[in-house]
Amino acid sequence: MDQRETDRQRGRPRAFDEARFLDGAIALFSAAGFSGVGISDLTAATGVSAGSIYKAYQDKQGVFSMALSRYIALREDHIARLFETAVNARTKLGMLLRLYVDLSRGADGKLGCMVVAGIADLDSVGRAQDILRNQLAARRATLKQLITQGQGDGSVASRAEPEVVADILLALLQGMRVIGKGGILTQQAETFVTQTLRILD
């Protein structure tokens, strides 16, 4: 057995900075959607060769899946750190709304959301379909849990079904990212959040 065969069996490390590559892919897919990005675009934007991309991810669907997983993980970590300072469930819901308002305005808003971009191309993204559906279901479950907790800790006065309120808030959060892509989300951020939170009263 020669050295090349030994290297293949052991598994060589990536010949490029994977986190940096995936961040570049996130920006491209968020802005142009799955269908609007080709391997040549990824190569031009990141400097990683087509051969290296195919070797590491097999195809564009593989790149999208890995980039999407990183996108979601980074966002969830950010939200978890925000929630560490919250005094109750209503505060957490307010934090989540403010985060989405911030993400949906300015340069971030116009860049777009990778989840929304993926949903728009759902029939084309292959195995990433499950990641997208699971993420939406997880966000909905979090909202439902927070509403239930808020009803328990007294910060949510509404006795409406948590599941129904969660559906409304989920549609609002994702809709904000769509409107933000067009650059027309409200500039009155705090008023927007305050009015939205009245659904909890």
Side-chain angles (χ1 to χ4, degrees):
M1 181 181 298
D2 63 23
Q3 186 61 43
R4 287 176 298 176
E5 183 65 23
T6 301
D7 286 342
R8 280 196 294 271
Q9 285 191 355
R10 288 176 179 171
R12 292 177 178 176
R14 295 277 190 265
F16 56 90
D17 183 330
E18 186 170 26
R20 184 175 179 180
F21 170 74
L22 292 176
D23 287 343
I26 288 169
L28 286 175
F29 285 126
S30 295
F34 179 81
S35 299
V37 175
I39 295 296
S40 61
D41 298 311
L42 291 164
T43 296
T46 66
V48 178
S49 70
S52 293
I53 293 173
Y54 283 119
K55 183 176 180 180
Y57 305 104
Q58 296 186 332
D59 53 26
K60 188 175 73 167
Q61 289 181 346
V63 177
F64 185 85
S65 293
M66 289 298 295
L68 179 63
S69 294
R70 176 172 171 79
Y71 178 84
I72 291 170
L74 290 172
R75 179 75 71 243
E76 294 308 307
D77 180 65
H78 185 187
I79 291 171
R81 285 185 280 111
L82 280 178
F83 283 1
E84 288 176 358
T85 62
V87 296
N88 55 41
R90 188 189 186 97
T91 303
K92 291 180 180 179
L93 288 165
M95 288 176 167
L96 196 57
L97 283 164
R98 289 183 183 89
L99 173 62
Y100 270 73
V101 169
D102 289 342
L103 291 172
S104 302
R105 296 191 300 167
D108 285 339
K110 291 179 181 178
L111 175 63
C113 170
M114 194 171 177
V115 172
V116 171
I119 291 296
D121 273 331
L122 193 61
D123 291 339
S124 302
V125 298
R127 50 193 174 276
Q129 288 185 6
D130 288 340
I131 301 174
L132 290 163
R133 291 192 177 100
N134 289 342
Q135 173 60 14
L136 290 177
R139 179 68 73 241
R140 181 174 182 266
T142 296
L143 290 167
K144 180 181 176 181
Q145 180 182 41
L146 289 175
I147 294 160
T148 301
Q149 288 177 352
Q151 290 175 337
D153 66 27
S155 62
V156 173
S158 172
R159 296 294 101 185
E161 286 293 328
E163 187 171 306
V164 174
V165 181
D167 284 340
I168 294 170
L169 290 177
L170 178 62
L172 177 64
L173 293 177
Q174 297 306 133
M176 287 162 62
R177 300 310 312 271
V178 174
I179 294 171
K181 179 77 171 175
I184 58 172
L185 188 70
T186 178
Q187 295 304 304
Q188 300 180 39
E190 195 55 38
T191 299
F192 181 90
V193 172
T194 300
Q195 291 294 329
T196 300
L197 289 174
R198 287 187 176 180
I199 195 176
L200 307 178
D201 296 332

